[in-house]
Amino acid sequence: MRAMVFHRPGEKLALEIVPDPEPAPNQLLIRVEACGVCRTDLHIVDGDLKRPKPALIPGHEIVGRVIRAGSGVIGFAPGTRVGVPWLGFTCGHCDYCRGQRENLCDEARFTGYNMDGGYAEFCIADSRYCFPLDEAAAAAGLAPLLCAGLIGYRALRLAGNGVRIGIYGFGAAAHLIAQVAVFEARTVYAFTRPGDAKAQTMARKLGCQWASGSDDRPPELLDAAIIFAPVGGLVPVALSAVHKGGIVVCAGIHMSTIPAFEYDLLWGERVVCSVANLTRQDATEFLALARTIPVVAQTTIFPLHGANEALDGLRNGNITGAAVLVP
Ligand SMILES: [Zn+2]
Ligand SMILES: [Zn+2]
């Protein structure tokens, strides 16, 4: 099969012919219909995330059709459409797994990081971490739901039930979760890169009350802020925009160094927390909700061999909505 393979930071992904994967027990062999390009992939390619699988096929927002199943798989008949998310395996017995926090599992393995992902024509995935998806929808539109949507959903839940929500960094995750927040009758304030009129226009179109650069102040104090941009400097900025008791949720897997700030910004029972990975419960809840609302992803589609171009676009802030590879 054709695949885009990562060898080392600083090098482009290479288009290679590699052996078709074989499903082991509990695994599905899947023909990839679409695979989203996530900022996490960029962090892997840029070397921010350490020790990826050697000769890695990235990609963890996979939409595909089951070709066949390994032994022990229940459900998932051939032809079924499935989604494969970032969480690819958990141990099931550590304190986190037993405490409904499998997202923090000590032995977790992640799709497109510790194991091969979806920048390819085919992939394998453990069926216990796959989800049935809408059979009729366009595959490219579903792909971003599987990480940008899911992590966004977990971040929104951790942000609490406050009405006034600020979102810093208006890319793939933000444009999906803003739709959920608006559906929940919250007031959403979108903060983009300063001067990014395109992202601000999209935010307003999606129902955000207000959209401006991250160097601007919201017109009123926020109940909570979610930071999707990998920019540590936004933590004190967001803290200064939430009122007493407010929460700042850092939703990325990697962030530049957070600068020192006055204790006054945290005082008043303000909270800063991070979101790490997802649980299968998050996926079940979010995918059902996304279908009900419905959450619509804006996508920029690239062919499989266009993965490097898609990653560059993400790095430079030139992608509006979500980038998706369609092999
Ligand atoms: Zn575990
Ligand atoms: Zn991701």
Side-chain angles (χ1 to χ4, degrees):
M1 68 170 182
R2 292 181 311 135
M4 294 299 286
V5 183
F6 169 71
H7 290 286
R8 55 196 68 79
E11 284 181 16
K12 299 261 181 221
L13 303 184
L15 178 62
E16 295 178 6
I17 304 294
V18 301
D20 288 357
E22 272 297 315
N26 294 315
Q27 287 183 331
L28 302 173
L29 173 63
I30 298 164
R31 180 174 57 78
V32 178
E33 292 182 283
C35 183
V37 176
C38 175
R39 183 164 289 281
T40 297
D41 304 340
L42 195 55
H43 290 311
I44 293 170
V45 167
D46 287 346
D48 297 325
L49 298 185
K50 306 301 177 197
R51 292 178 295 282
K53 169 194 170 287
L56 172 74
I57 301 171
H60 57 268
E61 297 181 309
I62 306 168
V63 177
R65 299 274 179 184
V66 175
I67 303 276
R68 65 192 152 85
S71 62
V73 172
I74 299 165
F76 298 109
T80 308
R81 180 178 258 175
V82 289
V84 185
W86 171 245
L87 185 74
F89 178 80
T90 56
C91 77
H93 56 71
C94 71
D95 286 350
Y96 298 113
C97 282
R98 285 183 294 138
Q100 279 82 54
R101 294 200 290 170
E102 64 181 2
N103 59 309
L104 303 179
C105 174
D106 289 327
E107 294 169 40
R109 300 177 68 202
F110 301 104
T111 310
Y113 182 33
N114 314 116
M115 38 205 214
D116 284 332
Y119 286 17
E121 291 176 295
F122 299 93
C123 72
I124 46 171
D126 188 317
S127 62
R128 296 166 296 182
Y129 299 84
C130 295
F131 298 89
L133 291 178
D134 189 344
E135 295 282 343
L142 293 172
L145 303 182
L146 288 157
C147 182
L150 272 173
I151 298 293
Y153 176 75
R154 188 171 177 84
L156 186 65
R157 287 292 165 263
L158 285 185
N161 294 323
V163 174
R164 288 158 297 185
I165 304 287
I167 300 181
Y168 288 81
F170 212 85
H175 98 285
L176 296 173
I177 220 58
Q179 297 175 51
V180 177
V182 168
F183 175 80
E184 292 175 341
R186 307 196 203 214
T187 308
V188 182
Y189 300 87
F191 298 85
T192 69
R193 290 183 193 218
D196 190 347
K198 244 170 128 181
Q200 290 166 20
T201 303
M202 177 171 70
R204 287 191 204 95
K205 269 193 196 147
L206 292 171
C208 295
Q209 169 92 7
W210 178 93
S212 189
S214 56
D215 52 350
D216 204 355
R217 300 270 313 162
E220 57 178 343
L221 288 175
L222 307 168
D223 297 316
I226 302 172
I227 304 177
F228 289 115
V231 181
L234 288 173
V235 173
V237 170
L239 271 171
S240 73
V242 299
H243 60 55
K244 284 183 285 187
I247 183 163
V248 174
V249 181
C250 304
I253 194 168
H254 176 84
M255 198 178 231
S256 56
T257 302
I258 300 170
F261 55 86
E262 294 296 326
Y263 179 59
D264 262 3
L265 281 180
L266 191 60
W267 169 248
E269 302 196 344
R270 291 177 182 85
V271 173
V272 177
C273 73
S274 67
V275 164
N277 314 316
L278 67 136
T279 66
R280 284 172 280 181
Q281 182 65 25
D282 295 328
T284 304
E285 286 175 21
F286 172 69
L287 292 171
L289 183 61
R291 203 169 171 168
T292 305
I293 294 176
V295 172
V296 179
Q298 298 199 24
T299 55
T300 305
I301 294 179
F302 295 84
L304 178 59
H305 64 262
N308 290 307
E309 198 187 334
L311 288 165
D312 282 342
L314 203 56
R315 185 184 286 110
N316 301 327
N318 293 335
I319 307 277
T320 306
V324 178
L325 305 182
V326 175

